[in-house]
């Protein structure tokens, strides 16, 4: 056993251009799943994709939120031996933390992508993930909202309602311009 190399099964999802054998190239990035038996820990930072499905806002409106987590292993011993699968543990916790924080936000704030709301959500999830530095030897460097979409059976209706205010404002501007002409 001392002459064998320790290998671990790792599953994760990256946000990347599709690649690999039998995959046609794409001009757009997408979630790329990985399932590999590896004998190393990557020490460079990498970006991992996490999808929070049907998290409910404070009003009870379900949304799908995609997050990009930039993580880096800073202690390979802890990452390898102190947790069964550090990628799975951290992405699962990020999903749970984001779900809880989304429940404290209003749909209009989250869906409109207001910078203050997005920055606050990103910072709060990042703060929650910082605890893994000491526990697993993995540093969370950045959390970003990649996308926010209404979810559930009424997703199309929620999207229509969220754009009505914008359409009404543009129509009002047009009326003012036309009246001035």
């Amino acid at each position: 056993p001392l002459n064998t190399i320790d290998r671990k099964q790792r599953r994760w999802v990256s946000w990347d251009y599709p690649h690999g054998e039998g995959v046609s190239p794409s001009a757009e990035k997408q979630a790329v799943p990985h399932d590999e038996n590896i004998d190393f820990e990557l020490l460079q930072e990498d970006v991992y994709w996490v999808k929070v499905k049907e998290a409910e806002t404070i009003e009870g409106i379900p949304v799908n939120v995609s997050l990009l987590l930039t993580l880096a292993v800073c202690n390979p011993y802890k990452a390898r031996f102190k947790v069964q699968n550090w990628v799975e543990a951290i992405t699962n916790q990020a999903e749970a933390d984001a779900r809880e924080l989304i429940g404290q936000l209003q749909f209009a704030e989250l869906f409109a992508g207001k910078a203050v709301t997005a920055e606050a959500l990103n910072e709060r999830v990042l703060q929650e993930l910082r605890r893994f530095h000491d526990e697993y030897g993995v540093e969370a460097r950045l959390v970003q909202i990649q996308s926010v979409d209404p979810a559930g059976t009424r997703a199309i209706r929620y999207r229509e309602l969220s754009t009505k205010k914008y359409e009404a404002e543009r129509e009002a501007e047009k009326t003012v311009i036309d009246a001035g002409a």
Side-chain angles (χ1 to χ4, degrees), residues 23-172:
V23 176
S24 59
S26 172
E28 293 185 23
K29 286 187 174 185
Q30 61 188 32
V32 178
H34 300 271
D35 186 358
E36 299 177 20
N37 195 4
I38 60 174
D39 60 359
F40 62 90
E41 291 298 336
L42 180 65
L43 299 180
Q44 297 171 318
E45 65 181 37
D46 202 1
V47 178
Y48 299 88
W49 182 77
V50 176
K51 184 162 189 167
V52 184
K53 291 184 179 180
E54 297 190 11
E56 291 189 3
T57 63
I58 199 165
E59 306 96 344
I61 298 173
V63 292
N64 291 331
V65 178
S66 295
L67 299 174
L68 298 176
L69 309 178
T70 303
L71 306 171
V73 172
C74 53
N75 186 329
Y77 173 79
K78 286 183 179 180
R80 191 79 173 171
F81 300 109
K82 294 291 183 181
V83 63
Q84 182 179 358
N85 185 336
W86 69 265
V87 175
E88 182 181 324
I90 292 176
T91 56
N92 287 347
Q93 286 298 311
E95 180 181 348
D97 293 339
R99 183 177 302 281
E100 180 181 331
L101 296 170
I102 290 166
Q104 300 168 11
L105 298 172
Q106 294 181 355
F107 175 75
E109 292 176 320
L110 191 61
F111 189 68
K114 293 185 178 179
V116 174
T117 303
E119 186 177 317
L121 179 66
N122 294 344
E123 187 57 36
R124 288 176 66 185
V125 172
L126 184 60
Q127 281 298 111
E128 292 294 323
L129 294 181
R130 288 209 169 113
R131 69 183 181 270
F132 295 114
H133 182 273
D134 292 334
E135 292 179 40
Y136 303 155
V138 178
E139 182 180 356
R141 300 215 171 137
L142 184 63
V143 175
Q144 298 170 295
I145 295 176
Q146 193 271 328
S147 67
V148 177
D149 293 307
T153 57
R154 302 189 66 194
I156 295 171
R157 178 77 175 134
Y158 292 138
R159 185 177 294 277
E160 288 171 357
L161 290 173
S162 66
T163 59
K164 284 208 183 280
K165 179 181 177 185
Y166 176 80
E167 291 172 4
E169 288 171 352
R170 299 297 77 79
E171 195 61 39

Side-chain angles (χ1 to χ4, degrees), residues 13-31:
V13 180
S14 63
W15 187 251
D16 203 352
Y17 295 103
H19 59 280
E21 201 173 308
V23 176
S24 59
S26 172
E28 293 185 23
K29 286 187 174 185
Q30 61 188 32

